[in-house]
Amino acid sequence: METLFTHIENARRDENAPLAARMRPTTLDGFVGQPQAVGPGSWLRRAIEHDTLSSVILYGPAGTGKTTLARIIAHSTHAEFVEVSAVTGTVKDLRREIEAAKSRLLTAARRTILFVDEIHRFNRGQQDALLHAVEDRTVVLVGATTENPYFEVNSALISRSRVVELVALDDESVRELLRNALSSERGLAGAFALEADAEDEIVRLAGGDGRAALTSLELASQMVDEKPEDGPALITREHVTEANPRRGLPYDKAGDMHYDVISAFIKSMRGSDPDAVLYWLARMLDAGEDPKFIARRIMICASEDVGNADPQALLVAHAAFRAAEVIGMPECRINLAQAATYLALAPKSNAAEAGIDAALEEVRRGPHREVPSHLRDRHRPGSDEYGPYLYPHNYPEGWVEQRYLPEGLERGCFYHPSGRGWEAWREEAIGRDRADAAGGE
């Protein structure tokens, strides 16, 4: 089986390998970005430099250096470094590698570092097969994942490993990658130069993804027709645009980005920012998100965050959901945009949500409370003894003072109107009605 180390060396020697593969560093000194994870004094850097690595899961977006760090470990360690594919690997493959690792420990006292890229793709059974080997240090696990390991990786495996989070590269780190690739003999070897606008465009398109930035640079270099004899060929912004006709922002319909973007969308509606609402809505629609999923979140927001400050919001949200069901994309984008901006512009109240949550807490934790006798059902023997129920419609105001809550609870214990929109107007009207009724008495 070809080792990862051999694979790296072959890729670095192969001039036809992608630029991003050729530019992978083999030491921490060549690693760009992620100072919080591998900067001076960090646990991971010390562990790699001193070859004392314990099991670790590298978590972060694509193109942030997870696989590169694994390959730096492969070059730095005296342990055996092997890789199992989480896409094609089986429990049998894992057990074979674990048995081989046991043999190395017994016969040569040599550790084994097992690299599993995209470890979240392993099912529970495959992850469980690693548990004992990780726990007794038969193998040192290096897992890499773009998905939140606390959701996607077995909690027992998480507890035996250290999670190191990598973040999207900042713009300056991406620029450093590009400049290194332009000058390095392993890269473009000085054959090309980047216009400032072209560099800015690649950085913008990359969105913190180092691999994407290097791929854009390589594709843009292939668009250059004029190559002077006495100097580098110039890559312009037009070359970059031609090589990248459509920007693909990161989005995963089942992972962290999915939840992050929908969270930003909801919080923008709650925060009354229609422009932010439209941006996050566009991000989801452009990525192919199910419009009915978006419409359901709008419906929830209509009651949770707008509530009775504008009761019409729920009707608008429901209409948008029906439009998403019946019309579908691309036309229902307009219905969703109308509903989402309506909610963003509407007055806000969470009194309904807070009220029902408070009432549920009382029901679940409070004492048993009897229904007041005058509110009980009258279709049973002995109901004449219950006391009179005052029928509100028999009174000019349509309202009459009587107890509706059980004993021990008083009006205002759950529902606290916001003082905004229809909710405020209605509270004022109720207050006037009660004052008039009291005055009439």
Side-chain angles (χ1 to χ4, degrees):
M1 184 176 86
E2 181 185 52
T3 67
L4 183 60
F5 185 88
T6 304
H7 174 74
I8 297 166
E9 289 303 306
N10 289 342
R12 289 166 62 82
R13 285 195 297 264
D14 186 356
E15 295 181 358
N16 295 318
L19 178 62
R22 302 200 308 270
M23 288 303 300
R24 286 192 192 278
T26 57
T27 67
L28 285 172
D29 290 338
F31 189 82
V32 174
Q34 310 299 344
Q36 80 293 343
V38 291
S42 66
W43 168 81
L44 184 56
R45 188 181 191 93
R46 291 198 306 269
I48 293 173
E49 289 177 339
H50 299 296
D51 199 10
T52 57
L53 190 71
S54 56
S55 291
V56 61
I57 295 177
L58 304 173
Y59 159 50
T64 52
K66 300 182 296 298
T67 304
T68 296
L69 278 174
R71 294 178 179 182
I72 288 173
I73 293 168
H75 274 268
S76 305
T77 186
H78 294 293
E80 184 77 11
F81 197 101
V82 296
E83 179 179 8
V84 171
S85 169
V87 177
T88 60
T90 65
V91 171
K92 183 178 179 181
D93 295 327
L94 287 174
R95 288 175 177 162
R96 182 183 64 245
E97 294 299 341
I98 290 169
E99 288 302 316
K102 287 179 181 178
S103 177
R104 288 186 203 100
L105 277 176
L106 291 173
T107 60
R110 189 180 185 192
R111 296 182 308 142
T112 298
I113 295 176
L114 175 65
F115 175 54
V116 182
D117 200 6
E118 297 189 85
I119 192 171
H120 61 276
R121 293 181 180 271
F122 269 166
N123 60 38
R124 293 295 176 183
Q126 289 167 308
Q127 292 182 27
D128 287 345
L130 287 168
L131 284 179
H132 293 301
V134 171
E135 185 170 29
D136 62 17
R137 296 272 180 107
T138 299
V139 298
V140 174
L141 172 68
V142 177
T145 177
T146 56
E147 304 296 332
N148 191 326
Y150 295 102
F151 294 127
E152 300 296 335
V153 178
N154 188 316
S155 59
L157 200 54
I158 287 284
S159 70
R160 292 162 172 80
S161 309
R162 182 155 181 168
V163 176
V164 174
E165 184 172 0
L166 307 184
V167 297
L169 297 178
D170 58 50
D171 289 354
E172 195 50 46
S173 295
V174 176
R175 293 181 194 278
E176 185 177 346
L177 286 176
L178 294 174
R179 293 165 188 171
N180 290 345
L182 285 167
S183 61
S184 172
E185 290 299 320
R186 293 184 285 114
L188 299 180
F192 295 90
L194 264 179
E195 275 189 352
D197 285 351
E199 182 179 281
D200 291 343
E201 183 66 3
I202 292 177
V203 171
R204 185 185 73 84
L205 290 169
D209 183 330
R211 186 188 302 109
L214 292 173
T215 300
S216 291
L217 175 62
E218 183 175 27
L219 293 175
S221 71
Q222 295 168 1
M223 299 295 112
V224 179
D225 293 322
E226 298 180 8
K227 299 179 180 178
E229 296 179 1
D230 56 347
L234 189 62
I235 300 173
T236 66
R237 182 171 184 154
E238 288 69 28
H239 293 133
V240 174
T241 303
E242 186 179 357
N244 299 271
R246 185 178 183 276
R247 182 188 188 191
L249 289 174
Y251 190 84
D252 44 19
K253 286 196 273 185
D256 282 354
M257 189 63 68
H258 162 87
Y259 293 107
D260 286 346
V261 173
I262 194 64
S263 175
F265 175 66
I266 293 166
K267 288 170 182 170
S268 298
M269 286 190 291
R270 181 183 300 143
S272 303
D273 189 333
D275 294 297
V277 162
L278 290 173
Y279 175 79
W280 296 118
L281 175 61
R283 279 283 294 271
M284 292 186 286
L285 293 176
D286 185 64
E289 183 59 83
D290 181 358
K292 293 192 294 296
F293 165 77
I294 300 171
R296 283 193 291 270
R297 308 314 299 181
I298 294 174
M299 285 183 70
I300 293 168
C301 184
S303 290
E304 180 179 357
D305 295 305
V306 176
N308 287 326
D310 184 353
Q312 188 76 10
L314 182 57
L315 301 181
V316 172
H318 181 262
F321 180 80
R322 287 291 296 140
E325 275 191 321
V326 175
I327 299 173
M329 283 292 286
E331 289 83 0
C332 77
R333 77 191 190 283
I334 307 168
N335 309 111
L336 295 174
Q338 179 186 353
T341 52
Y342 185 98
L343 264 64
L345 296 169
K348 304 298 190 295
S349 171
N350 70 341
E353 183 211 12
I356 186 59
D357 287 348
L360 283 168
E361 182 71 9
E362 164 62 28
V363 167
R364 291 165 180 165
R365 298 184 180 276
H368 173 71
R369 302 185 190 274
E370 297 290 346
V371 176
S373 60
H374 60 282
L375 299 183
R376 294 178 183 176
D377 179 65
R378 302 281 170 160
H379 299 89
R380 62 165 67 96
S383 61
D384 292 343
E385 306 296 326
Y386 285 169
Y389 165 65
L390 306 181
Y391 189 56
H393 295 291
N394 289 341
Y395 296 82
E397 298 82 6
W399 171 86
V400 63
E401 181 68 50
Q402 66 182 327
R403 171 173 281 278
Y404 293 98
L405 282 164
E407 290 294 333
L409 299 174
E410 300 300 328
R411 182 178 290 132
C413 58
F414 302 128
Y415 181 65
H416 303 284
S418 66
R420 292 183 288 273
W422 183 88
E423 198 168 48
W425 175 85
R426 190 68 193 107
E427 277 298 304
E428 291 173 4
I430 291 172
R432 287 194 301 270
D433 289 345
R434 287 174 177 163
D436 291 344
E441 294 175 0

